[in-house]
Amino acid sequence: MDDSVIYAARAQVLADLQARGLCTPDSVTLLEEACSERRWWLQQWPDGAPYIAGLIAQDVQDGLADKFGRSAPEGLWPVCVTCPSGPVHTLHIDPDLGGPDPRWVCEESGTPVARLGELSHA
């Protein structure tokens, strides 16, 4: 199997973790675990390649929330910084199945914020 899809997805999620200051050992470990699990998934369903990046991002987001809880900053990755008021809230991957062409969307307003891997530009 060609791992380039996994490596590209890893790079995108890592860039977004870095963009929001959460490129920590815990988050990178969760990223590596998600990549490993999705590698198996991709071997079973090669046509799912367009969905891998978004699914890995969702896996890391869920893993951080499970590990730290939604009251800790680490558990709220990525926090929406585009809404000027209201409660602290996260972005989510759209479409829900992770692809194709996944993007981060504000969970409060539904506004697209950035493509996956491009949070540093948002």
Side-chain angles (χ1 to χ4, degrees):
M1 183 184 104
D2 179 11
D3 278 343
S4 64
V5 172
I6 297 292
Y7 294 141
R10 183 187 182 282
Q12 288 177 299
V13 175
L14 192 60
D16 286 348
L17 286 165
Q18 183 66 37
R20 294 299 165 90
L22 199 57
C23 198
T24 65
D26 286 325
S27 64
V28 173
T29 297
L30 287 169
L31 174 57
E32 295 303 326
E33 290 170 357
C35 288
S36 177
E37 290 171 12
R38 291 300 175 174
R39 181 176 288 111
W40 176 88
W41 184 85
L42 187 59
Q43 288 171 341
Q44 306 308 306
W45 189 45
D47 291 341
Y51 302 91
I52 288 293
L55 291 171
I56 289 174
Q58 289 172 335
D59 292 345
V60 172
Q61 187 176 41
D62 291 344
L64 288 167
D66 289 347
K67 183 170 181 73
F68 297 104
R70 291 214 174 256
S71 60
E74 298 90 350
L76 291 172
W77 175 80
V79 171
C80 180
V81 296
T82 59
C83 292
S85 62
V88 174
H89 57 279
T90 63
L91 304 175
H92 69 271
I93 287 289
D94 185 69
D96 286 335
L97 292 177
D101 193 30
R103 61 192 176 276
W104 291 110
V105 174
C106 172
E107 71 178 18
E108 293 288 319
S109 69
T111 305
V113 174
R115 293 179 63 186
L116 180 62
E118 298 179 4
L119 274 178
S120 64
H121 305 296

